């Protein structure tokens, strides 16, 4: 545990954030790290926008526990061919201003993503849409230029929200959706307030009002929870701070499986790392369980693929090549790659780029120590996040570590992260990996309407990636929610969403 945090918790006099207020009987104080950049889900791309926005707007479909897409505003849909989707909408749904939801609203919500009505980074997900046709007030038909099996995922909760026809670029300033909570107000860098939608079609929330209070400092967040001036936070504080709060009488800690995945990625064209045996040796030199125990307090699970546990397209561990911690095997692989130890016992030297985030810094140091045992000398090069991210998107790295959040819930992550057509700026294949068989399988899966056939294609993709290792999936960190005893009925979502507010209660 960090010494500064222990001292802060033990201090008898402490000035907390000036923005927090005393608890109000019917208002939940939810502490978040930053202001949403845009509550309109068509435009907001940061985590706060998507999580708060998903309480204001409804999507066409929602992900279940296995990331299959289930009916929501769309009660059913058909895919008559690889280029067409027909959605049948729920009747009796109303926007917060009382207007009924119709197919015109859904059509506008999709069309506005690529017709110039908005300037949005999410527009690329709908770039293949060639037309949206309103058949009747509750039926809408979508056509695409190419087979796009991921269109449905891009219309799901957190990523997409149906707005009223005509809603423009300023929608996020006064959002009007059909979701369980209505927008009340927002003050940048201070708070967002929402209130219960008493007429919500899926059942009104039990909490009357939620104030999302912006508290950028995680120690202050922990202190407000300890004092009782904050009611809940979600993945906003470190595990050391979570551990310290477990013994506080008026605080409860909820921990459960998460869908986000930590991963390491290689520049496969770099001379030091282009040999697959070298990348396999690095995988063998890593001790995932030891890293999880030391840095995550055991609150994570090792991963062998980018897809979340239980995902319908995820390959079982039994069919994937495995790289358990084995220093001897690592050295044999380096020997086979022609890398013999020098006078200092070093076989391989390369650089790991990281951000300056404290947890990432500690992780990098631990990885450096583990690789040293196999004769691998790892140089660490930390930088503030903007510089770090610019370097990895431009390919100026040998290896880096990051986390996929949300996007890995769709198997299209493999095309985005490892498809030959996804080199930046067109995608996230930052290591410039290219494999013709992987590309062909991904194209086949995108055009396939049968899920079992798609699953077979994606499993083979995962087998190839696990053999060639353009990147190493590391682990899935748990979702951690800390809340006061005022809040009950907290049910965690693997994606770390705020959906528990739909059903939780405030004493």
């Amino acid at each position: 545990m960090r010494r500064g945090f222990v001292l802060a918790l033990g201090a008898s006099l402490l000035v907390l954030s000036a923005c927090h207020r005393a608890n109000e009987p019917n208002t939940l104080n939810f502490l978040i790290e930053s202001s949403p950049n845009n509550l309109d889900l068509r435009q907001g791309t940061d985590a706060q926008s998507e999580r708060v926005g998903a309480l204001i707007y409804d999507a066409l479909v929602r992900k279940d526990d296995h990331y299959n897409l289930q009916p929501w505003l769309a009660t059913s849909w058909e895919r008559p061919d690889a280029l067409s989707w027909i959605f049948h909408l729920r009747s009796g749904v109303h926007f917060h201003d009382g207007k009924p939801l119709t197919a015109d609203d859904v059509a506008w919500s999709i069309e506005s993503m690529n017709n110039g009505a908005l300037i949005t980074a999410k527009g690329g997900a709908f770039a293949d849409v060639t037309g949206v046709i309103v058949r009747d007030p509750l039926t809408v038909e979508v056509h695409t230029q190419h087979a796009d099996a991921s269109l449905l995922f891009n219309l799901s909760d957190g990523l997409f929200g149906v707005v009223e026809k005509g809603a423009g670029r300023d929608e996020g300033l006064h959002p009007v959706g059909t979701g369980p909570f209505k927008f009340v107000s927002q003050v940048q860098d201070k708070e967002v307030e929402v209130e219960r939608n008493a007429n919500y079609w899926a059942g009104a929330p039990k909490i009357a009002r939620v104030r999302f209070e912006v508290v950028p400092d995680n120690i202050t967040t922990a202190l407000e929870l300890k004092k009782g001036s904050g009611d809940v936070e979600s993945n906003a504080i470190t595990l050391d701070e979570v551990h310290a709060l477990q013994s506080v009488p008026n605080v409860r800690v909820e921990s459960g499986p998460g869908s986000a995945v930590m991963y390491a990625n290689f520049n496969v064209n770099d001379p030091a790392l282009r040999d697959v045996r070298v990348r396999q040796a690095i995988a063998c030199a890593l001790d995932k369980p030891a890293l999880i125990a030391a840095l995550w307090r055991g609150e994570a699970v090792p991963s062998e693929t980018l897809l979340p546990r239980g995902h319908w397209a995820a390959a079982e561990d039994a069919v994937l090549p495995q790289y358990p911690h084995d220093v001897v095997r690592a050295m044999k692989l380096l020997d086979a790659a022609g890398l013999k130890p020098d006078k200092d016992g070093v076989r391989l030297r390369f650089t790991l780029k990281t951000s300056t985030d404290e947890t990432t810094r500690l992780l990098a140091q631990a990885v450096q120590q583990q690789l040293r045992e196999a004769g691998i000398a790892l140089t660490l090069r930390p930088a503030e996040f903007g510089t770090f991210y610019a370097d990895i998107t431009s390919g100026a790295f040998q290896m880096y570590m990051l986390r996929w959040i949300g996007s890995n819930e769709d198997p299209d992550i493999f095309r985005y992260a490892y498809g030959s057509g996804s080199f930046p700026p067109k995608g996230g294949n930052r290591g410039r990996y290219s494999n013709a068989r992987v590309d062909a399988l991904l194209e086949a899966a995108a055009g396939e309407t049968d899920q079992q056939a798609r699953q077979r294609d994606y499993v083979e993709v995962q087998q190839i990636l696990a053999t060639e290792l353009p990147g190493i999936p590391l682990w899935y960190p748990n979702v951690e929610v800390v809340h006061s005893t005022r809040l009950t009925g907290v049910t965690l979502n693997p994606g770390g969403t705020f959906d528990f507010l739909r059903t939780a209660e405030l004493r």
Side-chain angles (χ1 to χ4, degrees):
M1 188 184 306
R2 289 184 295 170
R3 181 172 178 269
F5 182 62
V6 176
L7 291 176
L9 279 179
S12 58
L13 293 175
L14 182 70
V15 178
L16 293 178
S17 165
C19 65
H20 84 265
R21 309 175 200 177
N23 285 331
E24 300 170 18
N26 298 315
T27 299
L28 178 80
N29 287 336
F30 198 130
L31 309 182
I32 58 177
E33 311 96 297
S34 57
S35 283
N37 66 26
N38 198 317
L39 290 171
D40 179 358
L41 285 175
R42 300 172 302 165
Q43 302 180 73
T45 56
D46 63 301
Q48 307 303 344
S49 295
E50 293 190 343
R51 290 169 180 169
V52 178
L55 299 172
I56 298 172
Y57 296 96
D58 282 321
L60 285 189
V61 295
R62 285 177 65 83
K63 298 179 283 286
D64 67 13
D65 292 342
H66 297 286
Y67 305 92
N68 290 296
L69 296 163
Q70 303 294 343
W72 201 242
L73 286 184
T75 57
S76 63
W77 54 90
E78 301 102 45
R79 197 177 178 193
D81 57 67
L83 305 181
S84 304
W85 299 79
I86 300 172
F87 296 97
H88 304 281
L89 306 180
R90 190 177 301 277
S91 62
V93 177
H94 291 80
F95 287 96
H96 297 154
D97 59 7
K99 294 179 181 177
L101 170 79
T102 70
D104 286 320
D105 302 305
V106 174
W108 172 259
S109 300
I110 296 172
E111 289 175 323
S112 64
M113 302 288 281
N114 65 7
N115 68 1
L118 300 176
I119 299 174
T120 173
K122 290 185 174 181
F126 297 90
D128 261 350
V129 174
T130 57
V132 184
I133 301 169
V134 174
R135 283 187 166 187
D136 60 51
L138 293 176
T139 308
V140 64
E141 188 172 331
V142 181
H143 296 278
T144 60
Q145 183 176 1
H146 304 102
D148 184 9
S150 292
L151 177 68
L152 200 60
F153 179 81
N154 291 320
L155 294 170
S156 68
D157 46 315
L159 299 176
F160 177 81
V162 175
V163 299
E164 291 183 348
K165 181 179 180 180
R169 300 180 185 183
D170 63 348
E171 169 70 12
L173 299 177
H174 45 79
V176 179
T178 63
F181 288 91
K182 299 180 181 181
F183 174 78
V184 175
S185 64
Q186 178 175 11
V187 179
Q188 186 69 21
D189 298 325
K190 183 180 179 183
E191 65 185 25
V192 179
E193 291 197 19
V194 297
E195 65 182 7
R196 172 173 53 208
N197 176 9
N199 298 314
Y200 186 46
W201 63 269
K206 297 181 176 67
I207 298 173
R209 199 175 187 93
V210 181
R211 178 185 298 118
F212 294 96
E213 182 182 342
V214 179
V215 183
D217 180 70
N218 58 354
I219 293 180
T220 303
T221 295
L223 290 166
E224 291 205 19
L225 287 163
K226 179 175 184 287
K227 183 179 178 181
S229 51
D231 288 310
V232 61
E233 68 79 34
S234 177
N235 299 297
I237 60 177
T238 69
L239 285 170
D240 281 349
E241 291 154 355
V242 171
H243 180 73
L245 288 167
Q246 286 179 329
S247 59
V248 177
N250 64 325
V251 170
R252 298 289 180 268
V253 174
E254 313 285 350
S255 180
S259 62
V261 62
M262 286 285 303
Y263 71 101
N265 212 41
F266 298 108
N267 184 335
V268 297
N269 294 319
D270 186 271
L273 300 169
R274 65 162 62 107
D275 191 320
V276 64
R277 293 168 295 187
V278 172
R279 302 195 296 272
Q280 291 173 343
I282 294 169
C284 291
L286 290 173
D287 188 345
K288 295 180 188 179
L291 292 170
I292 289 170
L295 299 173
W296 263 261
R297 289 185 171 269
E299 298 291 335
V301 176
S303 61
E304 304 298 335
T305 177
L306 296 183
L307 296 178
R309 288 167 289 177
H311 195 288
W312 63 266
E316 298 290 337
D317 289 354
V319 303
L320 296 175
Q322 299 292 309
Y323 305 93
H325 180 56
D326 188 337
V327 174
V328 173
R329 182 184 174 193
M331 290 190 290
K332 287 181 179 179
L333 284 163
L334 294 174
D335 277 339
L339 299 175
K340 306 298 182 180
D342 63 15
K343 61 182 179 61
D344 298 317
V346 176
R347 300 165 178 270
L348 172 68
R349 300 177 188 272
F350 69 98
T351 298
L352 171 67
K353 287 194 173 180
T354 74
S355 70
T356 52
D357 169 77
E358 181 180 2
T359 301
T360 304
R361 179 181 60 81
L362 293 173
L363 171 60
Q365 291 174 348
V367 169
Q368 182 184 49
Q369 184 176 349
Q370 288 185 348
L371 296 191
R372 187 180 298 132
E373 295 179 13
I376 300 171
L378 187 63
T379 299
L380 306 182
R381 189 170 297 170
E384 58 85 22
F385 189 82
T387 301
F388 161 71
Y389 197 72
D391 281 351
I392 66 172
T393 53
S394 66
F397 68 91
Q398 291 181 291
M399 177 183 174
Y400 70 85
M401 292 184 295
L402 259 181
R403 182 183 305 196
W404 289 114
I405 301 176
S407 54
N408 67 310
E409 295 177 0
D410 179 30
D412 193 53
I413 185 65
F414 297 119
R415 178 198 59 79
Y416 182 76
Y418 295 118
S420 300
S422 295
F423 295 168
K426 295 182 179 179
N429 188 353
R430 301 162 189 142
R432 273 61 176 179
Y433 171 77
S434 183
N435 181 298
R437 177 60 179 166
V438 167
D439 292 339
L441 288 165
L442 293 173
E443 183 177 357
E448 179 60 64
T449 57
D450 178 73
Q451 190 177 87
Q452 288 188 336
R454 294 184 70 207
Q455 183 187 42
R456 287 193 294 270
D457 290 338
Y458 285 126
V459 167
E460 186 176 344
V461 166
Q462 290 165 83
Q463 290 172 325
I464 295 171
L465 294 176
T467 299
E468 299 195 344
L469 286 184
I472 303 175
L474 296 174
W475 47 77
Y476 308 104
N478 280 359
V479 173
E480 306 281 344
V481 173
V482 181
H483 62 90
S484 72
T485 52
R486 293 181 74 215
L487 183 65
T488 62
V490 174
T491 303
L492 301 186
N493 177 282
T497 71
F498 299 163
D499 271 6
F500 58 84
L501 296 179
R502 293 169 176 261
T503 55
E505 297 186 49
L506 190 61
R507 290 177 177 172

